Every structure is written in structure tokens, then in C-alpha cells.
Amino acid sequence: MKEAAVTVAGIQMEPVFGETEKNVARTIALMEEAASKGAELVVLPELCNTGYVFQSRKEARDLAEEIPAGPTTSAWIGAAKRLNLHVVAGITEKDGVKLYNSAVVIGPDGLIGRYRKVHLWGDEALYFTPGDLGFPVYDTPLGRIGCHICYDCWFPESFRLAALQGAEIMCVPTNWVPIPGQDPNREAMANIIVMGAAHSNSLFVVAADRVGTERGQPFIGQSLIVAQTGWPVAGPASADKEEILIAEINLADARRKRNWNDFNQVLRDRRRDVYDEMLGSAHLPGWH
């Protein structure tokens, strides 16, 4: 018997810029399909309700919504309740005068929390405020869920701080773009990075990417679900097609199988006499 068996889904899709209503309807249709295949936790791409390539702050503001009052979060909350799902999805968030590249964490009973992207990529810095919530980890009936968004994964501290708070699975809405120097005969660098982070922190990772080209910007797909060992259990998906990845995982393995041998356990072996226990993050609201 698996102590903490969970069926997870990574949804790879192609939002259409600015067509929020259609995009949200598409996300819900894909959530329904994933639920019909047994999914209990579904992860959707970054900014999947609006699209990604903004051309002005006004454009971003016009498409942004409040959480949870906005129509996108409301629609996802309704779908999660109807389908008995947990959902992590990327959304363009408005909070007063500030805009954030955010993700909502939703369960069958409503909004659980939100994550705001800490490390902004490229032109995102022209429109969004860097995340101010740290790296919150949420207790859910399925397990302890943390979030990153895309470029956050390039910072080892991001995964480590979530792991130190007891995260068992990291949900990553993402919009991966081509990386200079990528070997076309190798897996995407983004895949390697999340695989390494899963391995070095004993965490499961569900990374849901988008596909297509938006305003001249191509996206690379290749979503995947990674076990705490660092090896994929579903995917990588294709580079150019909408797909749903499904895997049954046992979140207890993130804790039970953290010991690599009689001597070594990656979180226990940290040299806290050499570097700070919390990597200087104690002041952040996301630290517990």
C-alpha cells in the first residue's frame, strides 16, 4: 500500500494572447479530461489565462485580475469543487497598483493560497513586481505543496527553501523558451534543471509548460513529472503539441526514501556551521 498515493497531471497547452475567456474555458476542459483519467492534482502553465508576451504595462494591467475575486480564479475554484481537484495554475495578478506573475493553489474547498514569481525573466521586469511572499508551502489533504514559476527553477535556493519547510511536491507553471547553446540531441536544459533540483532536495516536481509561438516568441513544451529521485515518471512531453501527462506518485517517498545510504541524507548533511540554516530568508512571510 502506498501511504500517500496521489495521481498528478501536468497540462501542456497553448494559450492565445488576450483571449482570457477562451483560455480559461480551455483550461477547464483539460482539467475535466485529466480528472476523467484519475488526476487529483493538476498543474497548468504560467500566465495560462492571458498569454505571456505583453507589449505595454497598460496591456498587462487590462488583462490582470484580482485573486480570488477575479473571473479566472472564480472559474477555477468552481471547476475544482465540481471535479474534486487540487489545481495550481499561472495567472496575471493585480493587487492595487501592482502586477504580479502569480500562481493560485486551489482545492475542492476553494482558494488555498497563492505564489508570486520571485525571479522575473526578461521583459517581465517591465510589467511585474517581483514576488513578495517568499516560498510558501501549503498543507493540503494530498500533501505539502510548494510552487515555483519558470525562472525560479534556476535558483537552487528556491527549491531548498521549500524543502526545508517540508514541501513534498513542487508545482511549476512555466513558459520555457529556447536557451542559447542547447544541444538539439539532448533533453532541454529546463528538464535537466528540475530533475537535478528534485534529486538534490528529495522532492517531486510537476512542471507544466506551454507550446506555440506568441508574438514571435517560441515556447518549447517538454513538460514533465519528476520523482524525488530526479528521474522522470511522465514525459518529457513533445515540443509542440498540447498534452496531458499523468503519473501516480507516492509523496511519502519524498521523506521515506530521502536517505541515500547508511550515512547520507541530503537535507540532514547540510553544513549549517558553514552557512546559514535559512539562507537568510527568516524575514520573508513565506518562511515557516
Side-chain angles (χ1 to χ4, degrees), residues 92-169:
T92 308
E93 181 191 2
K94 175 170 57 180
D95 184 5
V97 298
K98 295 181 179 180
L99 305 180
Y100 296 96
N101 183 339
S102 296
V104 287
V105 182
I106 295 167
D109 295 328
L111 182 71
I112 296 170
R114 77 188 79 187
Y115 171 73
R116 290 170 172 167
K117 188 174 184 179
V118 171
H119 305 97
L120 301 180
W121 171 264
D123 287 353
E124 290 176 40
L126 300 176
Y127 315 119
F128 296 116
T129 297
D132 57 358
L133 300 178
F135 299 100
V137 174
Y138 294 104
D139 284 300
T140 77
L142 302 181
R144 291 180 62 78
I145 295 175
C147 299
H148 292 337
I149 297 176
C150 200
Y151 189 42
D152 290 323
C153 295
W154 270 252
F155 297 83
E157 301 90 339
S158 301
F159 282 97
R160 182 53 49 84
L161 290 171
L164 291 176
Q165 295 177 80
E168 296 164 332
I169 184 167

Side-chain angles (χ1 to χ4, degrees), residues 150-266:
C150 200
Y151 189 42
D152 290 323
C153 295
W154 270 252
F155 297 83
E157 301 90 339
S158 301
F159 282 97
R160 182 53 49 84
L161 290 171
L164 291 176
Q165 295 177 80
E168 296 164 332
I169 184 167
M170 299 301 297
C171 297
V172 184
T174 190
N175 280 180
W176 288 329
V177 299
I179 295 293
Q182 172 70 49
D183 183 341
N185 298 313
R186 291 288 307 273
E187 60 271 74
M189 178 58 69
N191 288 174
I192 295 171
I193 284 171
V194 298
M195 289 164 61
H199 171 76
S200 60
N201 291 284
S202 192
L203 291 167
F204 290 87
V205 179
V206 182
D209 195 14
R210 65 161 292 171
V211 291
T213 299
E214 184 178 285
R215 291 178 163 176
Q217 174 62 64
F219 299 92
I220 68 169
Q222 300 172 75
S223 305
L224 76 170
I225 301 171
V226 185
Q228 90 290 347
T229 58
W231 299 112
V233 292
S238 71
D240 56 4
K241 295 181 178 63
E242 292 192 330
E243 296 182 43
I244 297 177
L245 300 177
I246 298 277
E248 183 183 282
I249 60 178
N250 181 14
L251 291 183
D253 288 346
R255 298 175 183 272
R256 179 187 294 279
K257 298 184 178 179
R258 189 165 282 168
N259 291 331
W260 290 339
N261 55 43
D262 290 342
F263 298 95
N264 297 113
Q265 194 259 62
V266 64

Side-chain angles (χ1 to χ4, degrees), residues 160 267-280:
R160 182 53 49 84
L267 296 183
R268 186 192 62 213
D269 290 345
R270 291 175 305 114
R271 288 287 307 279
R272 288 171 289 176
D273 59 322
V274 176
Y275 42 78
D276 182 73
E277 160 70 10
M278 294 178 288
L279 300 176

